């Protein structure tokens, strides 16, 4: 929580970033489908996000893939142009795990301000390399992984901003505030 400027109550521990991404996108989409069925991602997302997008499409959601420029950067303007009345979620990786491009997350957050659309960012390629402060950058959901910063393998986290509603994708005994069941270590 201190690492990203969050309240500890906003952290859900997972087995890694892939699970955090699943909980963020699938959990948010399922919990908020009554608000809309449209999700935006960029064409340059991590394979876990791209495969989650395919899953969402097979399950009744519409996913728009926003193009990137020749440097791998998404334009906030292009993203804004693809928002519809049914858009509920935007997912943009903080940095590219392939080429290192940093995305304009603060600018994207500004575009989404006041729309009710939640911003998710897979921050694994950026964590530990650039400052991430969820107090300054209003992402609603943020995926992290410890193994990319020399922490233990098999440990990730999802930051869930207070007020952002997510449905669990792993059901069981209700651990991790009911969002990720399983006996806690």
């Amino acid at each position: 929580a201190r690492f990203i400027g969050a309240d500890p109550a906003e952290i859900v521990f997972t087995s890694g970033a892939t699970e955090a991404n699943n909980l963020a996108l699938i959990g948010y989409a399922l919990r908020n489908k009554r608000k809309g069925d449209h999700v935006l991602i960029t064409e340059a997302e991590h394979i876990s996000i791209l495969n989650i997008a395919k899953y969402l499409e097979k399950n009744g959601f519409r996913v728009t893939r926003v193009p990137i420029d020749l440097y791998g950067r998404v334009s906030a303007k292009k993203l804004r142009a693809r928002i519809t009345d049914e858009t509920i979620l935007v997912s943009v990786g903080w940095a590219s795990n392939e080429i290192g491009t940093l995305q304009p997350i603060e600018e994207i957050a500004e575009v989404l301000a006041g729309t009710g659309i939640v911003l998710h960012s897979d921050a694994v390629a950026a964590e530990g390399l650039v400052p991430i402060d969820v107090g300054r950058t209003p992402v609603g959901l943020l995926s992290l992984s410890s193994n990319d910063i020399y922490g233990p393998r098999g440990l990730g986290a999802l930051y869930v901003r207070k007020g952002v509603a997510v449905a669990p994708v792993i059901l069981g005994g209700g651990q991790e505030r009911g969002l990720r069941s399983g006996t806690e270590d």
Side-chain angles (χ1 to χ4, degrees):
R2 274 192 306 259
F3 188 64
I4 60 168
D7 181 326
E10 296 173 307
I11 302 297
V12 176
F13 288 103
T14 65
S15 65
T18 297
E19 183 185 335
N21 287 339
N22 274 269
L23 180 56
L25 273 68
I26 296 170
Y28 187 83
L30 291 176
R31 178 69 190 267
N32 294 281
K33 188 164 186 170
R34 70 191 183 320
K35 295 179 185 176
D37 66 352
H38 185 234
V39 176
L40 289 174
I41 65 171
T42 76
E43 292 178 336
E45 292 306 306
H46 186 272
I47 189 69
S48 69
I49 298 291
L50 296 174
N51 283 332
I52 293 165
K54 290 176 189 175
Y55 173 85
L56 288 172
E57 288 173 320
K58 289 178 186 174
N59 287 278
F61 290 89
R62 294 176 301 115
V63 178
T64 299
R65 291 153 183 84
V66 182
I68 54 171
D69 66 18
L70 70 126
Y71 302 105
R73 210 169 138 99
V74 67
S75 157
K77 257 190 209 177
K78 285 184 181 180
L79 194 140
R80 179 183 14 225
R82 287 160 175 83
I83 292 173
T84 73
D85 290 341
E86 298 297 311
T87 306
I88 58 173
L89 180 65
V90 171
S91 182
V92 177
W94 203 291
S96 167
N97 67 310
E98 299 289 335
I99 60 174
T101 302
L102 292 174
Q103 295 296 349
I105 297 296
E106 290 181 14
E107 189 179 339
I108 293 167
E110 286 176 24
V111 165
L112 299 179
T115 64
I117 299 168
V118 167
L119 175 59
H120 165 259
S121 186
D122 179 337
V124 172
E127 63 183 331
L129 300 172
V130 297
I132 297 173
D133 183 347
V134 297
R136 282 191 31 238
T137 306
V139 294
L141 301 159
L142 184 86
S143 300
L144 300 163
S145 174
S146 72
N147 62 302
D148 285 29
I149 54 172
Y150 306 103
R153 291 184 182 272
L155 179 63
L158 178 65
Y159 161 76
V160 182
R161 183 177 294 278
K162 286 180 182 146
V164 174
V166 179
V169 296
I170 298 175
L171 304 173
Q175 293 85 354
E176 291 293 336
R177 297 188 339 263
L179 293 178
R180 203 254 182 198
S181 289
T183 302
E184 294 171 346
D185 192 359

